[in-house]
Amino acid sequence: IKAMEQGKVAWLQPSNSGTAKNAITNHEYTGFNRLSLRFSEYNLSPCWVTQKQVTFDLNSRIIDLTQKELVLFCGRLSYFCKKDQKVKTYWKNPTYYTVYNLKNVEVNSKVEKILNKLKPLEKTGNVDTIEKDFLEQARQANKIQGVTIRQTNKQEFNCYIPSLDEVWLHPYEQFTSIDAYLSTLFHEVAHWTGHPTRLDRFKLDDKTRFASEEYSKEELVAEISSSFFCEQYNLECSSE
């Protein structure tokens, strides 16, 4: 919130070298971790490490121990319940880890090798291939029929209609750029995931949701979701 008050909107920053990840395991951070690391003032590269990894895996040292961030890990455990005779799963208590950006680690041959692999990303395809790939991801994630997209004219809004369960979208020729079209598509499909038959984030008969706190939260979910896919496909986000 402080960053937003200062005019820094992290999810509008285009990616130039990939999603935040652990430099040793190559595990990409997800959810809140992904967003918070992008907000970080120490985000000088997409690679992050723990102090233990710096010492034992990189044989190096951290330059400034005050330049740190926290990441949250919530694992799941499964066990066999004798009473119910079935496997049950529960969430472990969250664990926090302190991480440091790889650019804050004293350079040696191991660190340099990782840094040399960081190259600016190129777009992963044209508008049609990106759109097809994205919608297929949405279909597989929800394990149901794909998103219904209705092409609209300039007099109609780009929006998701919960009662119809449809995304209304102008043809991409009417947008200022291909990136603008795709980021809008990502945004509206994120709303689509909130339908009661999916993640159930809102009610179909809610007539007061516009300009409400709940609506604001839903818009934030959609915009952050869109930013994650813009990062995946290396697209520019717009503040307009």
Side-chain angles (χ1 to χ4, degrees), residues 58 60 102 105-115:
L58 299 177
S60 186
L102 191 61
V105 176
E106 192 172 88
V107 176
N108 61 17
S109 59
K110 291 185 177 181
V111 175
E112 188 174 21
K113 184 177 180 181
I114 297 173
L115 291 174

Side-chain angles (χ1 to χ4, degrees), residues 8-26:
K8 300 175 183 177
V9 186
W11 56 84
L12 298 184
Q13 297 173 5
S15 170
N16 63 1
S17 54
T19 303
K21 63 181 180 179
N22 184 280
I24 305 303
T25 65
N26 281 323

Side-chain angles (χ1 to χ4, degrees), residues 135-148:
L135 294 177
E136 178 61 18
Q137 287 187 60
R139 186 193 69 79
Q140 291 181 1
N142 287 277
K143 298 180 181 178
I144 57 173
Q145 188 175 357
V147 187
T148 299

Side-chain angles (χ1 to χ4, degrees), residues 34-176:
R34 188 170 175 177
L35 187 63
S36 65
L37 292 178
R38 199 189 304 184
F39 262 115
S40 173
E41 60 183 302
Y42 312 125
N43 182 23
L44 301 176
S45 84
C47 294
W48 298 80
V49 284
T50 65
Q51 189 168 13
K52 184 177 179 180
Q53 288 174 326
V54 170
T55 302
F56 295 102
D57 293 289
L58 299 177
N59 304 122
S60 186
R61 70 176 188 87
I62 296 165
I63 298 170
D64 187 346
L65 288 169
T66 66
Q67 296 185 9
K68 58 188 177 182
E69 296 293 347
L70 290 178
V71 294
L72 174 67
F73 176 74
C74 295
R76 289 188 293 181
L77 291 177
S78 298
Y79 68 98
F80 182 76
C81 179
K82 291 183 179 180
K83 181 179 180 180
D84 298 332
Q85 289 295 299
K86 62 181 182 181
V87 176
K88 292 188 175 182
T89 302
Y90 69 95
W91 287 96
K92 295 168 57 180
N93 290 331
T95 304
Y96 289 92
Y97 294 93
T98 301
V99 293
Y100 302 86
N101 196 274
L102 191 61
K103 289 279 186 138
N104 187 26
V105 176
E106 192 172 88
V107 176
N108 61 17
S109 59
K110 291 185 177 181
V111 175
E112 188 174 21
K113 184 177 180 181
I114 297 173
L115 291 174
N116 287 339
K117 291 181 179 179
L118 300 178
K119 298 178 180 179
L121 296 177
E122 298 180 355
K123 282 187 173 56
T124 55
N126 60 37
V127 61
D128 295 316
T129 57
I130 292 175
E131 181 176 14
K132 183 179 179 181
D133 179 70
F134 167 71
L135 294 177
E136 178 61 18
Q137 287 187 60
R139 186 193 69 79
Q140 291 181 1
N142 287 277
K143 298 180 181 178
I144 57 173
Q145 188 175 357
V147 187
T148 299
I149 297 179
R150 175 181 155 191
Q151 196 169 95
T152 63
N153 57 47
K154 285 187 176 181
Q155 283 68 45
E156 297 174 312
F157 292 109
N158 295 301
C159 59
Y160 168 66
I161 310 295
S163 58
L164 300 176
D165 197 20
E166 291 180 350
V167 169
W168 289 12
L169 207 62
H170 297 159
Y172 61 76
E173 294 86 358
Q174 295 181 13
F175 284 80
T176 56

